[in-house]
Amino acid sequence: MTGQPTDLAALQRRLVEFAAARDWEPFHTPKNLAAALSVEASELLEIFQWLTPGQSSAVMADPGSAHRVRDEVADVLAYLLQFCAALEIDVLAALAAKIDRNEERFPRPGRPGDPPAG
Amino acid sequence: MTGQPTDLAALQRRLVEFAAARDWEPFHTPKNLAAALSVEASELLEIFQWLTPGQSSAVMADPGSAHRVRDEVADVLAYLLQFCAALEIDVLAALAAKIDRNEERFPRPGRPGDPPAG
Amino acid sequence: MTGQPTDLAALQRRLVEFAAARDWEPFHTPKNLAAALSVEASELLEIFQWLTPGQSSAVMADPGSAHRVRDEVADVLAYLLQFCAALEIDVLAALAAKIDRNEERFPRPGRPGDPPAG
Amino acid sequence: MTGQPTDLAALQRRLVEFAAARDWEPFHTPKNLAAALSVEASELLEIFQWLTPGQSSAVMADPGSAHRVRDEVADVLAYLLQFCAALEIDVLAALAAKIDRNEERFPRPGRPGDPPAG
């Protein structure tokens, strides 16, 4: 461990500097980063493709599988952050706005005993 | 805007509560969430599939495309956070560890004028 | 129905002529066709993402779902054939060779009552 | 080479028998096969993700890349045929019907010198 900060913005900066230091920026078009993101998401899915729902819930019990899952999760987030950096998208604001929209689109259902709406 | 906090952990809690309030948890097995994540990543890629590299870099100039990109980015992060919540994975720690490993695997190249290593 | 032949080679020719007549060839680089193929495969997966294994086996019982599944299957094959046309790959020969390799890699297991090998 | 027939229906039968002989059928739900198909399509895309359009057109010039492309193409077709076998879908009829629909949806454009329609 490097003792570096691990908030989202700091990790995004590390990823951008990492790519710049290796002259990878010409490869990092938004189109290529979107393709790489989808490839990594599929590598995560591959771990689960033949598992039953129950087996999929127990996947972290095996250390080898747990490492592989964490590794693919990290790759997905890494390409998502690099994609958002390339297009200057604030990913947390985008998600907050989406949750706001979903709360209007899928209203919270009433529960037995809830006071009637309105 | 709801004025709610928008750090990653707060957004993850909102997503988990959102699904719980709608009784969606039985559908949210790790396997299903991994499939949904890969489907959303492909919907992001779909926006770029016929674009040239140059067009892909200009995608945010059109308000309709910009909204669509932000929406898909939010969906990818939403399913990634729900997946990590289901398996109790600390996604920021996973990414920090992965960047550490990548810095060893792909050493920063020397630059003209750099002192020779070692 | 048009009464046209429906073997694989004839369908591939129709697809290539269809794209040429609409001047779509500049978009149909192997890279773009591979992206489109993966997007269509995800659209097929989307139909199944929240289904239980049992529900997934019954998906053709609903006419709307059945149409959607057939439509996505067609899109996957369409982009696969256009990809192979662009790179002059004989897809049937590629699959035959792969099955040959898999038969060596995963030998047929013996059955009770089988004569012992060798 | 085994000298076996290599038309699409014969290859589909070989794939179904191959899986049955190894007792893989319980894993081959339509949902799992759709996931596997999308994973294989992403493995094909992975070969192209950092290439320029021009490099992507030259991918078969390198024997190693050419083998990898043919191998992934075969995997995509293999899972597509197994998926269609599981749900009793005639994939060639599905594609022929889709091309018919697309010919109505995207009419062939007129060319200079074409007689005017109608």
Side-chain angles (χ1 to χ4, degrees):
Chain A
M1 293 295 293
T2 58
Q4 300 200 30
T6 59
D7 63 283
L8 197 72
L11 292 171
Q12 191 174 34
R13 279 191 301 274
R14 280 184 75 189
L15 289 164
V16 169
E17 285 167 18
F18 185 93
R22 285 153 189 81
D23 292 325
W24 289 353
E25 287 157 326
F27 301 100
H28 282 195
T29 64
K31 176 172 179 151
N32 288 1
L33 290 167
L37 172 62
S38 99
V39 166
E40 295 300 335
S42 281
E43 291 184 3
L44 183 62
L45 176 58
E46 189 181 12
I47 301 171
F48 295 91
Q49 64 186 350
W50 305 122
L51 302 187
T52 63
Q55 290 168 332
S56 91
S57 295
V59 76
M60 304 303 283
D62 173 69
S65 299
H67 178 80
R68 201 174 153 208
V69 169
R70 274 196 209 95
D71 199 58
E72 297 299 352
V73 156
D75 284 337
V76 170
L77 184 56
Y79 282 121
L80 182 66
L81 292 178
Q82 289 177 91
F83 175 89
C84 289
L87 292 179
E88 299 184 8
I89 293 170
D90 180 336
V91 67
L92 295 178
L95 178 53
K98 180 74 186 241
I99 299 176
D100 289 348
R101 287 197 298 277
N102 276 347
E103 285 178 345
E104 292 194 20
R105 191 174 152 210
F106 303 101
R108 196 189 187 88
R111 299 290 188 156
D114 272 6
Chain B
M1 292 296 292
T2 58
Q4 299 199 32
T6 59
D7 63 284
L8 196 72
L11 292 171
Q12 191 174 35
R13 280 192 301 274
R14 280 184 74 189
L15 289 164
V16 169
E17 286 167 17
F18 185 93
R22 285 153 190 80
D23 292 325
W24 290 353
E25 286 157 325
F27 301 100
H28 282 193
T29 62
K31 176 173 179 150
N32 288 0
L33 290 167
L37 171 62
S38 100
V39 166
E40 295 300 335
S42 281
E43 291 184 2
L44 183 62
L45 176 58
E46 188 182 12
I47 302 171
F48 295 91
Q49 66 187 349
W50 305 121
L51 302 187
T52 63
Q55 289 168 333
S56 92
S57 295
V59 77
M60 303 304 281
D62 173 69
S65 299
H67 177 80
R68 202 174 152 207
V69 169
R70 276 196 207 94
D71 199 59
E72 298 300 349
V73 157
D75 284 336
V76 169
L77 183 56
Y79 282 120
L80 182 66
L81 292 178
Q82 291 177 88
F83 176 88
C84 289
L87 292 179
E88 299 185 8
I89 293 169
D90 180 336
V91 66
L92 295 179
L95 178 53
K98 179 73 185 241
I99 298 175
D100 289 349
R101 288 199 297 278
N102 276 348
E103 285 178 346
E104 293 194 20
R105 189 173 155 212
F106 303 101
R108 196 189 189 87
R111 299 292 187 156
D114 272 6
Chain C
M1 292 296 291
T2 57
Q4 300 199 32
T6 59
D7 63 283
L8 196 72
L11 291 171
Q12 192 174 34
R13 280 192 301 274
R14 280 184 74 189
L15 289 164
V16 169
E17 285 167 17
F18 184 93
R22 285 154 190 81
D23 292 326
W24 290 353
E25 286 157 326
F27 301 99
H28 282 196
T29 62
K31 176 172 179 149
N32 288 0
L33 291 167
L37 172 62
S38 99
V39 166
E40 295 300 335
S42 281
E43 291 184 4
L44 183 63
L45 176 58
E46 190 181 11
I47 301 171
F48 295 92
Q49 65 187 349
W50 305 122
L51 302 187
T52 62
Q55 290 168 333
S56 92
S57 296
V59 77
M60 303 304 281
D62 173 69
S65 298
H67 177 80
R68 201 174 153 207
V69 169
R70 275 196 208 95
D71 199 57
E72 297 300 349
V73 156
D75 284 336
V76 169
L77 184 56
Y79 282 120
L80 182 66
L81 292 178
Q82 290 178 89
F83 176 88
C84 289
L87 292 178
E88 299 185 7
I89 293 169
D90 180 336
V91 67
L92 295 178
L95 178 53
K98 179 73 186 241
I99 299 175
D100 289 348
R101 288 199 297 278
N102 276 347
E103 285 177 347
E104 293 194 20
R105 191 174 154 210
F106 303 102
R108 195 188 188 91
R111 300 291 188 155
D114 272 6
Chain D
M1 292 296 294
T2 58
Q4 300 201 29
T6 59
D7 63 283
L8 197 72
L11 291 171
Q12 191 174 34
R13 279 192 301 274
R14 280 184 73 189
L15 289 164
V16 169
E17 285 166 18
F18 185 93
R22 285 153 189 81
D23 293 324
W24 290 353
E25 287 157 325
F27 301 100
H28 282 193
T29 63
K31 177 173 178 149
N32 288 0
L33 290 167
L37 172 62
S38 99
V39 167
E40 295 300 335
S42 281
E43 291 184 2
L44 182 62
L45 176 58
E46 189 181 12
I47 301 171
F48 295 91
Q49 65 186 349
W50 305 121
L51 302 187
T52 62
Q55 289 168 332
S56 92
S57 296
V59 76
M60 304 303 282
D62 174 69
S65 299
H67 177 80
R68 201 173 154 209
V69 169
R70 276 196 207 94
D71 199 58
E72 298 299 351
V73 157
D75 284 337
V76 169
L77 184 57
Y79 282 121
L80 182 66
L81 292 178
Q82 290 177 90
F83 175 88
C84 288
L87 292 179
E88 299 184 9
I89 293 170
D90 180 336
V91 68
L92 295 179
L95 179 54
K98 179 72 185 240
I99 299 176
D100 289 348
R101 288 198 297 278
N102 275 348
E103 285 178 345
E104 293 193 20
R105 191 173 153 211
F106 302 101
R108 196 188 187 89
R111 299 292 187 156
D114 272 6

